[in-house]
Amino acid sequence: MEFEEYRKFALSIPLVEMEGKTNILFEVRARSLAHQPGEVCLPGGHVEPGEDFMTAAVRETSEELCIASDHIQVVAPMDIYLSPSGQMIAPYLVKLKDYKGTFSQSEVDEVFCVPVEFFWENEPQGYKNHIFTRPDEDFPVDAIPGGRKYPWRSGWSMVYFYPESNGHRIWGLTAKIMKASAEIMREAVKHEQ
């Protein structure tokens, strides 16, 4: 419902093999960026006109990590997230082949890896973030029962924080995506055994 109303984003959850362990690669956003500088994130960005979510996830990962798109193998789509602020975010689990630690310095200050098990062994702390409806000034309040006193419902969204790992804190939307994706990955591993 209202698919066209959402701002669409795609991202990847990149798997990297290191020392016999499967790790997830994270980025620290460049401090020169206007939006969320210095925050931990996963590679991703806007879905461009004519792109599907998966193509956008691969393109953004390729651009941000400075690797060829054929070095990115899509494993599976994860759960789509619809934010209260009107974003539709589609994450994809991907494997990086022959990744050498490269990244675009205009978008990323550094990359770091966290073993997949970290997300299975550490439940994030969750905190409620309250959300409420505030109609715009031009909203036709005279067209609804109660007018300006209409009893709009409020709600909440959970904001998660993982324990620090490799000197970094994974929190917010990145933590929410990792919490949901870690459960999907755990179930997939159980079914393979």
Side-chain angles (χ1 to χ4, degrees):
M1 211 181 304
E2 298 182 334
F3 179 81
E4 294 305 323
E5 301 296 320
Y6 284 93
R7 290 170 291 142
K8 293 160 191 71
F9 297 86
L11 57 84
S12 69
I13 301 169
L15 300 176
V16 179
E17 295 297 323
M18 292 172 55
E19 300 172 6
K21 285 192 164 193
T22 302
N23 291 268
I24 296 172
L25 181 133
F26 292 90
E27 300 174 346
V28 176
R29 290 175 58 83
R31 298 206 185 281
S32 59
L33 294 174
H35 186 64
Q36 297 175 305
E39 290 198 23
V40 171
C41 68
L42 293 158
H46 289 92
V47 176
E48 300 292 337
E51 273 185 328
D52 60 29
F53 285 101
M54 187 172 76
T55 302
V58 170
R59 177 185 53 77
E60 287 282 349
T61 302
S62 173
E63 290 173 2
E64 292 176 22
L65 298 181
C66 299
I67 59 175
S69 58
D70 63 353
H71 285 219
I72 302 165
Q73 176 192 349
V74 176
V75 176
M78 297 284 104
D79 206 1
I80 289 177
Y81 175 65
L82 301 176
S83 79
S85 60
Q87 298 172 320
M88 180 181 291
I89 302 167
Y92 288 83
L93 187 65
V94 303
K95 283 186 184 175
L96 301 184
K97 298 182 232 169
D98 302 318
Y99 179 64
K100 306 291 188 216
T102 56
F103 55 87
S104 168
Q105 294 184 359
S106 65
E107 296 185 72
V108 181
D109 275 350
E110 66 177 290
V111 294
F112 65 96
C113 290
V114 178
V116 170
E117 289 81 10
F118 173 85
F119 298 98
W120 295 339
E121 295 166 0
N122 293 283
E123 188 68 23
Q125 288 289 116
Y127 300 89
K128 284 184 177 180
N129 192 2
H130 289 273
I131 299 167
F132 59 93
T133 302
R134 185 178 68 201
D136 283 342
E137 289 299 316
D138 65 346
F139 188 87
V141 291
D142 56 335
I144 60 174
R148 291 206 183 279
K149 295 183 187 229
Y150 186 81
W152 296 103
R153 290 185 183 248
S154 63
W156 51 267
S157 176
M158 291 300 288
V159 178
Y160 293 103
F161 290 78
Y162 277 100
E164 194 169 289
S165 178
N166 285 344
H168 297 284
R169 175 79 63 185
I170 298 168
W171 74 281
L173 181 57
T174 302
K176 185 175 280 204
I177 288 168
M178 286 312 308
K179 180 178 183 338
S181 298
E183 289 304 315
I184 293 169
M185 288 187 275
R186 185 195 320 252
E187 288 302 313
V189 168
K190 277 185 197 172
H191 290 324
E192 285 180 6
Q193 295 174 344

